[in-house]
Amino acid sequence: MDGRLITAKEVAEDLECSMQHAYKIVRKLNEELDEMGCITMRGKTNRSYYEERLFGRSDEIDLSELESKAGNER
């Protein structure tokens, strides 16, 4: 499901990790969001924040550079 929140189960599937580790990641992200004054829910976290923290911001990634590297590997 592509809602605003991502569950620990989805994190575990996305990262191919255990549920225990996924819950640890969700707790860490929720702690950070709490410090920013956001309201959080146990076992779920903000999907956009999760993607930004784990994979980086898409506006910081030079997609043309990645595409040229992918083309050279073929």
Side-chain angles (χ1 to χ4, degrees):
M1 185 165 118
D2 285 329
R4 291 185 183 195
L5 299 176
I6 187 168
T7 65
K9 182 180 178 184
E10 291 173 300
V11 170
E13 291 170 358
D14 192 31
L15 300 178
E16 298 178 1
C17 67
S18 68
M19 285 295 295
Q20 181 179 1
H21 190 69
Y23 275 111
K24 187 183 229 183
I25 291 169
V26 169
R27 277 193 301 272
K28 171 73 173 148
L29 296 175
N30 281 344
E31 287 172 8
E32 293 173 8
L33 289 167
D34 280 337
E35 289 174 8
M36 291 187 275
C38 297
I39 297 172
T40 60
M41 294 179 64
R42 233 175 155 180
K44 299 178 182 181
T45 195
N46 179 282
R47 184 178 301 274
S48 298
Y49 188 68
Y50 159 78
E51 291 173 352
E52 178 182 326
R53 288 285 285 121
L54 268 72
F55 307 115
R57 292 177 39 183
S58 62
D59 62 346
E60 292 178 350
I61 299 170
D62 184 0
L63 296 177
S64 62
E65 182 180 326
L66 293 175
E67 289 170 352
S68 67
K69 285 182 182 178
N72 290 336
E73 293 176 2
R74 291 182 186 171

